[in-house]
Amino acid sequence: MQLTTSMRGIYAARIGLITAAAAVLLTGCLPTDYAASIRTTSYGVPHIVADTFTGAGYGYGYAFAQDNFCLFAEELVTLHGERAKYFGAAGGYLGQLGTVFGNVDSDFFYKLVLSSDQAARFKAGSSRATRELADGFATGYNRYLSDTGLAKLPVACRGKAWVKPMTEEDAFLRFSQAAMTGSSLGFIGAIGSAVAPAAAVAKAATTTTMAKAKVPAAPFEYAQSPVLMAFQSLRDHTIGSNGLGLGRNATQSGKGLLMGNPHFPWWGALRLNQVHITVAKENYDVMGATLLGVPLPLIGFNDKVAWTHTFSTDNRFTVRYLAIDPSNPTRYLKDGKSIAMKAVPLTVSALGADGNQVQIKRTLYTTEYGPMLKDTSFAWTTGSGYALQDANATNYQLIDQVILNGKSTSVDSLRLALATYNAMPWVNTIAADQAGDALYANYSVAANVPDAQLAACVPPPFQPLMASTGVVVMAGTTAACDWSGSIPAAGRPWVKRADYAMNSNDSHWWPSLNTYLSGFAKIIATGPNAEATAQNNRTRTGHAMVRDRLAGTDGQGGYRFTLANLQQLYLKSRFFKAEKWLPGFVSGCLASPGATPAALDACAVLQAWSTAHTPSSQGVVLFDELYAALGELNDASWWSVPFNPADPQETPRGTANQAAAMAQLETLVASSQFNDPLKRRARTQDVQLLQRAEGVLAVPGGRSTYNNWAGVRTQVAPGQFIYTADPATNAGAFGNSYIQFVTWDSAGPVAEGILTYSQSSDPTSSHFSDQTRKYAAGEWVKLPYTDKQIKADPNYSERVLYETPLP
């Protein structure tokens, strides 16, 4: 492929690729910032060594492209708002949170929200180091494209017209896109399709106030909004994580021990990629994992501290209700004045069914709050409309925050780093350090809405929505309800412990068994996630695991943690809510005179089940489906002992509403999935299956458990169901992704883990399923960090990559 010298980031008067044997150390000897040593260990993990962040980005951009070029090239098409141009007007794609978006709506969204102006603002708000990383990563990515050539790329993008060199602007767009993952990106379809109602109709309207505006008759209709359903996986903690930091009072060695366990999609832009970046002159040396196209580890460890993240409960956005001016649907009323929206005319090129390009034009609108949106519940009518205000739209210091995190030397310095920028966009941080301290901290971005304003500015029709889902719809009709920025660092919850600190996607309220953090701004944790509310299954499982280990009652021997027994306890796959509810249910079932023989057989299977979600457990698939049918037992009516905030570990407990639960079980055992005894005894290893070139892999974990994995329920034959994902893209699978266990000995970090779906997204790569096979077998791999560990790796290789820009 011929690349012109006008393409930013790929000017090359002198390009070199030399072997390690001939290379000089990167100590300024090479006359360019575009220079890096790429040291590769088993499973294709790159360890990048450079003198500058430019070089680090350059080396990683190249190494990353080797394994993920086609996937990221398609993501760049999405960022550019050109999906319809190349993939068709009628097509769509599976978004990051599991929602399918149409190509045309997506293109309009990206052209409006992630524009060149947004990239420029992010760049202007970034430090020198972030700018260097962006420039270096784009240059390294393009170097791979130049070296390989369009005709020799992996099959998925070989010779495709949509493959283009990456620009520095693209890097900043990707950073901003990552920041808005938990907010604006859920509104792609609703924003991209939000055209104004006809002006002629609006002139006849008389509705100008919330009280008179047409609203759905029942609050639940808002909760069924397609916009808000896009966030269902976040509200249900389906896309989430576990983080556990153990301190000196909980570990056998007296040093810290961290388990990081994000549960993310196995496809698309939320895929994680392993990398180790060393820039000694910048005091930066971090190994871990990062999101697709982000050039530094987001989760990881250095020689003194390890950290992970979990999705936080913060409200990062508010939907703003607008009273539309009856004389013009593109104006709204605020404090008695009519305010014009900003019209943004946009054009999308789209490939039609006949193979020709057509131009689709839409005028979208923005307000002082943000872009207009609409769907079937949040309609833009002659009387009312809705805009999105996203605190992360102006979060330009995400990468600076990540750099500072990586330079931390203890959990104390990590907390201070987090408080410096307060720019983690949608996550809690859990950490442990070499000295034996553990940290929970939520320095995530939350909309800067004080409690008094939250109480006064949510119109009555939307209060049940906030209570039931935590979603905040605020009035945009008065300046008294205006907000900007995010909750300051001084108002964020955190705690340092010598025993442990954890989070599994509930709020900040309960980070260790006897620690409660309360009194923080309600916008951080609203509705079912509010302080002092019932905790989810994974939260209770994590606390129970630590409690029983420290009491020595878990059968592991002793009463402290080691890296090995923490791994064993994790793989045990305890299911705490099943422990607390199932015994009473099966006793009642087996004593029920009205139960069918199939239901009685099912209950006998469930009674024999240990409640551990292990691959070989019989009946666990049946319970998974019953648990889902019962709404994951979240409703208080299923429990005989209600939740008590004074005892969140052991409450709720006990079985109630037996008749309703039995009715659900009878429905299940009558279905084709469970209508014979063998089907009712199905194990996860029988049905959680991934097709790979080398054969079928059985995937461990459960969709609602601490050890977490879920696939798409798929009927492969009459009455025969499996849970699986696309064999080429992994689309449909989510859960365990990058898992790390980190502690320290006298020589430095001791780390093991797994990248469950492996390092490469290219199905033809040797690194497409190598770690997946290990994961399926319940095994872990070493995470080499020190020079000695890296060079001792049996598959170690090294090369130096460099190029010199033209003047």
Side-chain angles (χ1 to χ4, degrees):
M1 180 177 183
Q2 183 66 39
L3 301 179
T4 69
T5 55
S6 63
M7 296 176 181
R8 174 162 177 74
I10 52 173
Y11 306 140
R14 179 168 62 88
I15 294 179
L17 179 64
I18 55 181
T19 65
V24 292
L25 293 175
L26 294 180
T27 56
C29 297
L30 293 175
T32 175
D33 282 336
Y34 299 122
S37 170
I38 304 174
R39 305 188 296 175
T40 305
T41 55
S42 295
Y43 311 102
V45 178
H47 304 255
I48 311 299
V49 181
D51 283 343
T52 65
F53 278 120
T54 304
Y58 176 70
Y60 180 53
Y62 189 93
F64 166 82
Q66 289 178 302
D67 282 323
N68 295 284
F69 186 88
C70 292
L71 179 60
F72 194 61
E74 182 177 339
E75 193 61 33
L76 292 179
V77 175
T78 302
L79 280 169
H80 297 158
E82 294 183 332
R83 291 195 63 88
K85 177 179 180 179
Y86 294 109
F87 306 133
Y93 65 101
L94 188 63
Q96 296 184 24
L97 303 181
T99 300
V100 175
F101 296 116
N103 288 336
V104 172
D105 289 345
S106 175
D107 287 347
F108 278 111
F109 168 87
Y110 276 99
K111 285 180 179 295
L112 179 71
V113 175
L114 286 164
S115 62
S116 293
D117 288 345
Q118 178 71 6
R121 288 189 291 268
F122 201 114
K123 180 177 179 178
S126 297
S127 70
R128 169 195 55 81
T130 293
R131 295 183 187 197
E132 288 180 354
L133 282 164
D135 175 41
F137 185 83
T139 304
Y141 176 90
N142 291 335
R143 170 66 185 279
Y144 171 82
L145 174 59
S146 177
D147 285 357
T148 306
L150 190 61
K152 294 183 179 180
L153 290 171
V155 174
C157 59
R158 184 176 298 163
K160 300 297 185 183
W162 47 267
V163 174
K164 304 288 177 62
M166 182 184 179
T167 66
E168 182 190 64
E169 178 179 289
D170 291 336
F172 287 107
L173 288 177
R174 175 62 185 123
F175 300 161
S176 196
Q177 181 198 39
M180 291 188 276
T181 292
S183 44
S184 291
L185 261 65
F187 293 83
I188 287 174
I191 291 173
S193 64
V195 295
V201 176
K203 289 179 180 178
T206 59
T207 303
T208 60
T209 67
M210 186 67 196
K212 294 181 181 179
K214 182 180 179 182
V215 296
F220 76 85
E221 294 185 27
Y222 288 115
Q224 299 304 310
S225 152
V227 166
L228 299 188
M229 291 301 289
F231 292 92
Q232 189 69 36
S233 58
L234 297 183
R235 296 205 306 267
D236 292 346
H237 307 301
T238 302
I239 294 177
S241 307
N242 301 316
L244 173 61
L246 296 162
R248 68 182 71 86
N249 292 347
T251 63
Q252 185 171 300
S253 68
K255 299 183 184 296
L257 171 58
L258 179 88
M259 184 189 77
N261 178 208
H263 304 154
F264 269 21
W266 281 31
W267 73 89
L270 284 179
R271 268 185 66 108
L272 292 165
N273 190 251
Q274 287 176 276
V275 63
H276 180 183
I277 301 285
T278 303
V279 187
K281 290 183 178 179
E282 299 280 0
N283 193 31
Y284 187 92
D285 188 7
V286 178
M287 184 175 186
T290 188
L291 293 174
L292 192 81
V294 177
L296 286 178
L298 300 173
I299 291 170
F301 59 95
N302 60 31
D303 63 336
K304 293 183 175 63
V305 61
W307 61 94
T308 190
H309 298 302
T310 62
F311 218 100
S312 71
T313 59
D314 299 74
N315 278 281
R316 289 157 271 277
F317 65 87
T318 65
V319 176
R320 303 308 296 254
Y321 162 75
L322 303 178
I324 298 300
D325 187 329
S327 68
N328 188 329
T330 64
R331 301 182 71 91
Y332 58 97
L333 302 175
K334 182 175 179 181
D335 292 326
K337 297 180 181 179
S338 178
I339 300 174
M341 302 174 189
K342 179 183 178 181
V344 185
L346 296 169
T347 301
V348 163
S349 183
L351 180 66
D354 61 359
N356 293 319
Q357 292 287 335
V358 296
Q359 302 300 302
I360 302 175
K361 297 180 182 295
R362 288 179 187 171
T363 297
L364 302 183
Y365 290 86
T366 63
T367 70
E368 63 192 284
Y369 306 112
M372 292 295 290
L373 63 92
K374 70 174 183 179
D375 72 1
T376 52
S377 296
F378 292 91
W380 186 354
T381 71
T382 58
S384 63
Y386 301 88
L388 181 70
Q389 186 170 2
D390 185 352
N392 270 315
T394 55
N395 179 5
Y396 306 133
Q397 294 182 307
L398 166 59
I399 305 303
D400 290 329
Q401 181 70 74
V402 173
I403 293 170
L404 201 58
N405 293 351
K407 295 181 178 182
S408 301
T409 57
S410 66
V411 299
D412 288 322
S413 66
L414 175 60
R415 188 189 69 78
L416 291 174
L418 291 165
T420 298
Y421 294 118
N422 197 29
M424 296 310 298
W426 30 266
V427 292
N428 303 291
T429 301
I430 300 90
D433 64 21
Q434 185 183 39
D437 287 315
L439 174 75
Y440 163 80
N442 180 2
Y443 286 92
S444 180
V445 169
N448 192 16
V449 179
D451 288 356
Q453 196 177 48
L454 188 66
C457 293
V458 177
F462 301 108
Q463 290 173 7
L465 180 70
M466 183 170 67
S468 62
T469 69
V471 174
V472 176
V473 180
M474 293 180 67
T477 54
T478 174
C481 294
D482 287 353
W483 63 265
S484 64
S486 60
I487 296 289
R492 305 300 314 187
W494 65 275
V495 66
K496 184 174 80 168
R497 301 280 304 179
D499 51 2
Y500 79 103
M502 63 157 282
N503 183 268
S504 290
N505 306 121
D506 279 312
S507 77
H508 55 270
W509 176 62
W510 191 35
S512 65
L513 200 61
N514 298 308
T515 302
Y516 301 93
L517 306 177
S518 60
F520 292 89
K522 289 182 170 55
I523 197 74
I524 296 174
T526 53
N529 292 313
E531 295 171 1
T533 53
Q535 304 290 284
N536 77 54
N537 175 64
R538 288 187 289 107
T539 295
R540 296 174 73 187
T541 299
H543 285 303
M545 184 173 71
V546 176
R547 177 197 63 188
D548 296 348
R549 173 86 294 262
L550 298 185
T553 59
D554 59 6
Q556 293 291 318
Y559 59 94
R560 297 276 181 117
F561 280 94
T562 64
L563 186 146
N565 65 32
L566 178 57
Q567 291 173 336
Q568 291 164 3
L569 288 168
Y570 179 80
L571 292 176
K572 187 177 180 181
S573 303
R574 189 171 179 178
F575 200 150
F576 193 77
K577 283 173 77 171
E579 295 176 22
K580 296 301 172 184
W581 183 84
L582 190 58
F585 171 74
V586 296
S587 294
C589 169
L590 293 172
S592 173
T596 65
L600 291 172
D601 177 64
C603 288
V605 172
L606 293 175
Q607 186 181 51
W609 175 43
S610 68
T611 71
H613 206 293
T614 56
S616 60
S617 296
Q618 290 189 343
V620 69
V621 179
L622 173 65
F623 183 76
D624 278 347
E625 292 297 338
L626 178 61
Y627 186 67
L630 300 179
E632 299 191 355
L633 299 173
N634 287 328
D635 193 277
S637 65
W638 299 117
W639 302 94
S640 59
V641 178
F643 172 72
N644 180 355
D647 187 11
Q649 182 63 56
E650 294 300 318
T651 62
R653 66 177 183 269
T655 308
N657 209 357
Q658 179 81 18
M662 280 299 299
Q664 292 287 354
L665 180 66
E666 292 283 11
T667 298
L668 282 176
V669 298
S671 72
S672 61
Q673 186 174 6
F674 299 110
N675 61 1
D676 74 44
L678 286 178
K679 293 178 180 179
R680 293 191 283 272
R681 287 162 175 78
R683 306 165 298 177
T684 56
Q685 66 188 33
D686 301 323
V687 298
Q688 290 186 179
L689 305 174
L690 293 177
Q691 182 65 52
R692 291 292 183 266
E694 62 271 27
V696 175
L697 297 177
V699 185
R703 65 182 182 233
S704 301
T705 62
Y706 201 78
N707 183 2
N708 184 268
W709 188 84
V712 178
R713 182 175 175 270
T714 304
Q715 186 169 220
V716 293
Q720 182 180 349
F721 294 83
I722 65 171
Y723 303 82
T724 189
D726 186 287
T729 66
N730 289 316
F734 57 85
N736 293 338
S737 44
Y738 170 72
I739 308 175
Q740 66 176 21
F741 298 88
V742 185
T743 188
W744 292 263
D745 63 15
S746 59
V750 177
E752 295 183 2
I754 202 87
L755 184 63
T756 57
Y757 36 69
S758 304
Q759 186 78 341
S760 177
S761 54
D762 174 12
T764 67
S765 168
S766 61
H767 300 308
F768 179 69
S769 59
D770 50 358
Q771 290 194 70
T772 312
R773 292 192 296 272
K774 302 281 285 186
Y775 172 60
E779 299 173 359
W780 310 102
V781 301
K782 301 292 185 183
L783 304 179
Y785 175 82
T786 65
D787 277 351
K788 182 178 180 180
Q789 292 167 346
I790 292 167
K791 291 177 180 177
D793 185 276
N795 297 297
Y796 173 78
S797 65
E798 182 179 0
R799 63 185 180 182
V800 172
L801 187 75
Y802 70 93
E803 63 185 81
T804 302
L806 288 170

